[in-house]
Structure formats: C-alpha cells, structure tokens
Amino acid sequence: MFQVGDKVVYPMHGAGVIEAIEEREVLGEIRQYYVMHLPVGNMKVLVPLNNVGTLGLRGVISKAEVQGVLQVLKDEAVVSTLAWNRRYRANLEKIRSGNILDVAEVVRSLAQREKDKGLSTGEKKMFENACQILVSELVLAEESEEIQVRQWLSKVLA
C-alpha cells in the first residue's frame, strides 16, 4: 500500500505523486481512492485502492535505474517487419505493461521508424503518449523539470 507523498506510476497515464487518500461514494458504494497528481499534463487521477494490483500501480524507478532506460534508448532499434496493425498492438501491450523499459523500447522503435519511413497518424499519437509516460517518470525519478527531460530525450533519440 502506498502513502501520501509516494511517487507512483499508473500505466497508460504516467507518473505522479499521491496527494491524498479519500473515501468517495460511487454507485452507492463507499470506496477508498488514491488522489494522484500527474505533473506532466497537470492532471488529477483517482485510483481505487481495491484495484491497485490489477491496474499495475507501482513505485517510480530510482535514479540508478534511469541508466537502464538510457541504455534501452541508445540500443539499436530492431526493425519490425510486422504489418502496422500488429506492430501497433505489440507496442500498445508494451505501454500497458507499465514497465518503463518496455515503454522506452516503444519510444526508441517509433523514433527510429519516424526517421526511416515516417509514422502513421495512430503511431504518431502512440509515440507522443509513450514519450509523455516516459518523461513523467523520468521527471520524478531524476527530480528534474519536464523541459530538461524532454531536451535530454531529444538528444538521446537524435
């Protein structure tokens, strides 16, 4: 169980800080929720405590683990021969996993594909979403500003 002030990652949404634990009535049932603030995008999200395991909520990586993300981003992207729809589904599953290394892999492969052949509209949106998820966790892990992390990411992917 997480506490107020913990830095956590909510797969498909990104990383944030738990600001409070509140009880709310939904459909006649009183449930407890984490109130999570996502600094990248400046959103608040309510996460039901009884679904934390199912949703994949986890702690933010450490500063030491950022090096693993950097390595994934620097590795040579494997050129996928899958049709765009299968490639899209495979990338979506990686993002949904909540694993930052999988998300970094998606960012790397889509960045490479964009340089080589360009991206479809759906893949462009996925790329932006994956970058936002990655940036949001790196901002909290590195205790840095979003603009600095985005610049760092651009340099690494260049």
Side-chain angles (χ1 to χ4, degrees), residues 11 34 48 94 118 128 156:
Y34 289 125
K94 286 180 182 181
E128 290 166 11
V156 171

Side-chain angles (χ1 to χ4, degrees), residues 26-144:
V26 177
L27 299 173
E29 274 189 63
I30 295 178
R31 294 185 183 174
Q32 287 191 315
Y33 291 86
Y34 289 125
V35 179
M36 189 173 147
H37 177 254
L38 304 174
V40 175
N42 199 22
M43 290 189 334
K44 284 199 189 229
V45 178
L46 296 178
V47 182
L49 262 68
N50 62 338
N51 286 355
V52 166
T54 309
L55 296 173
L57 203 66
R58 64 168 175 81
V60 168
I61 62 171
S62 68
K63 283 188 177 190
E65 292 171 298
V66 171
Q67 290 306 309
V69 173
L70 177 62
Q71 190 57 52
V72 169
L73 292 170
K74 285 183 170 182
D75 284 348
E76 190 68 33
V78 177
V79 178
S80 177
T81 57
L82 294 174
W84 78 266
N85 56 345
R86 288 187 185 204
R87 190 175 59 244
Y88 184 90
R89 274 184 290 195
N91 284 336
L92 190 57
E93 283 307 307
K94 286 180 182 181
I95 294 170
R96 282 187 181 144
S97 77
N99 181 321
I100 188 146
L101 298 178
D102 287 346
V103 175
E105 232 177 79
V106 170
V107 168
R108 179 197 66 210
S109 66
L110 290 177
Q112 186 62 50
R113 184 160 193 86
E114 183 176 41
K115 283 185 216 169
D116 295 344
K117 299 180 181 180
L119 296 174
S120 68
T121 305
E123 285 179 317
K124 282 181 188 174
K125 188 170 171 81
M126 176 179 278
F127 180 57
E128 290 166 11
N129 187 35
C131 283
Q132 182 166 340
I133 292 168
L134 185 66
V135 165
S136 71
E137 187 161 1
L138 293 174
V139 162
L140 292 178
E142 287 284 315
E143 297 175 359
S144 187

